[in-house]
Amino acid sequence: MTTRTIRLGVQVQPQHADYATIRAAVQELEQLGVDILFNWDHFFPLTGEPDGLHFEAWTELASWAELTSRVEFGTLVNCNSYRNADLQADMARTIDHISAGATGTGRFIFGTGSGWFERDYDEYGFEFGTAGQRLDALAEALPRIEQRWAKLNPAPTRTIPVLIGGGGEKKTLRIVAQHADIWHSFAAPDVLERKLAILAEHGAAVGRDVSEIEISNELRGRAEADADALLAHGVTLFTLGITGPDYDFSEVKRWLAWRDAQNG
């Protein structure tokens, strides 16, 4: 059994709601006691009306840095394709500082991935390419991001945690083994067991102890028995997506109670 504290992250999906509603949801969720707040990095809704209300991720996160004082926060996940790697690093460092407040330590988590939603690419003028090309670009970007963090003045307030999303066994998990502090997937418990074994192989190949990596998974549509099984396989960060226009906190409260029971 892991010695990590069980954490709950809530993804406040920035769709179908005005920003006043999103702002109120963020503040309410921090008050309820969630550990991490996430959004997503898309330009259009993923469910419901395709051209419904929607907001951009990074500018929203700068707002959250000021709106909150305790929770960690980030994107689940940033799309590497949309921004130059060094710019991403600088944006992350800046939000890290904005969120530091009186403690002097930032709360930003750099969640990232290779991208997948083709409409975002087509309508905003980015080259979609292939999944392999997008993963190769992510693998090239992460060392640049880490190098830029080391050069920036002022430096980040802490070593910014890197969360990588995705379950590809050949490329994604190797990138996770090399760079991630947190690995996020939607894998079911039996699939997760196999993927963790592959992650360990990649870790051995790159000289990384993958037990350092926190394992994250999604709760939406799952029961407590599913969460228990994921926990038994090493998941300690559980995420729950909620969507506008009316953010429903009932499932959040249910999973907060489960988290608290696990943590004793």
Side-chain angles (χ1 to χ4, degrees):
M1 180 63 68
T2 181
T3 58
R4 292 182 187 271
T5 299
I6 310 306
R7 303 198 290 168
L8 179 67
V10 176
Q11 184 188 54
V12 183
Q13 298 167 359
Q15 59 178 8
H16 308 305
D18 59 33
Y19 199 71
T21 301
I22 294 172
R23 180 188 298 113
V26 165
Q27 293 174 313
E28 177 70 13
L29 288 164
E30 181 173 53
Q31 186 67 28
L32 285 173
V34 303
D35 299 292
I36 306 173
L37 291 171
F38 293 110
N39 60 12
W40 66 30
D41 190 17
H42 295 288
F43 305 132
F44 301 94
L46 297 186
T47 61
E49 168 53 48
D51 293 312
L53 299 176
H54 198 275
F55 290 96
E56 192 275 328
W58 280 84
T59 43
E60 191 176 68
L61 292 176
S63 166
W64 292 11
E66 294 282 11
L67 283 173
T68 61
S69 61
R70 178 190 57 79
V71 292
E72 291 188 289
F73 62 96
T75 296
L76 193 65
V77 288
N78 169 67
C79 179
N80 176 68
S81 305
Y82 303 155
R83 302 163 194 90
N84 167 280
D86 294 84
L87 175 61
Q88 292 179 60
D90 205 341
M91 293 162 65
R93 180 281 310 257
T94 300
I95 293 177
D96 166 71
H97 275 266
I98 294 170
S99 68
T103 69
T105 301
R107 296 173 284 115
F108 179 72
I109 293 173
F110 183 68
T112 195
S114 60
W116 63 273
F117 190 43
E118 190 169 3
R119 184 186 179 191
D120 286 340
Y121 288 78
D122 291 345
E123 295 220 26
Y124 275 58
F126 296 104
E127 182 179 353
F128 189 57
T130 67
Q133 288 170 333
R134 295 192 299 276
L135 281 166
D136 290 343
L138 178 63
E140 293 169 4
L142 282 163
R144 284 179 56 191
I145 289 166
E146 293 163 355
Q147 290 161 13
R148 180 58 56 187
W149 281 336
K151 296 176 182 178
L152 288 169
N153 183 17
T157 67
R158 65 172 180 168
T159 300
I160 297 175
V162 174
L163 179 156
I164 296 175
E169 296 174 359
K170 182 179 179 181
K171 290 188 175 182
T172 303
L173 290 182
R174 187 175 182 88
I175 297 169
V176 170
Q178 290 174 307
H179 298 284
D181 300 289
I182 306 168
W183 170 52
H184 179 79
S185 78
F186 296 83
D190 57 336
V191 177
L192 182 63
E193 184 175 13
R194 185 186 77 248
K195 290 186 183 293
L196 287 171
I198 294 169
L199 177 61
E201 292 174 2
H202 284 303
V206 302
R208 175 88 185 277
D209 178 0
V210 297
S211 68
E212 300 171 352
I213 301 171
E214 185 173 17
I215 309 302
S216 173
N217 206 298
E218 171 67 22
L219 287 171
R220 188 169 42 178
R222 287 176 164 157
E224 281 81 352
D226 301 313
D228 292 340
L230 290 167
L231 179 61
H233 282 85
V235 175
T236 57
L237 172 55
F238 293 84
T239 67
L240 179 68
I242 60 174
T243 189
D246 300 308
Y247 294 103
D248 182 359
F249 301 140
S250 58
E251 285 293 284
V252 175
K253 293 174 182 176
R254 169 192 164 203
W255 287 111
L256 283 170
W258 178 85
R259 178 203 67 183
D260 292 345
Q262 303 306 313
N263 286 329

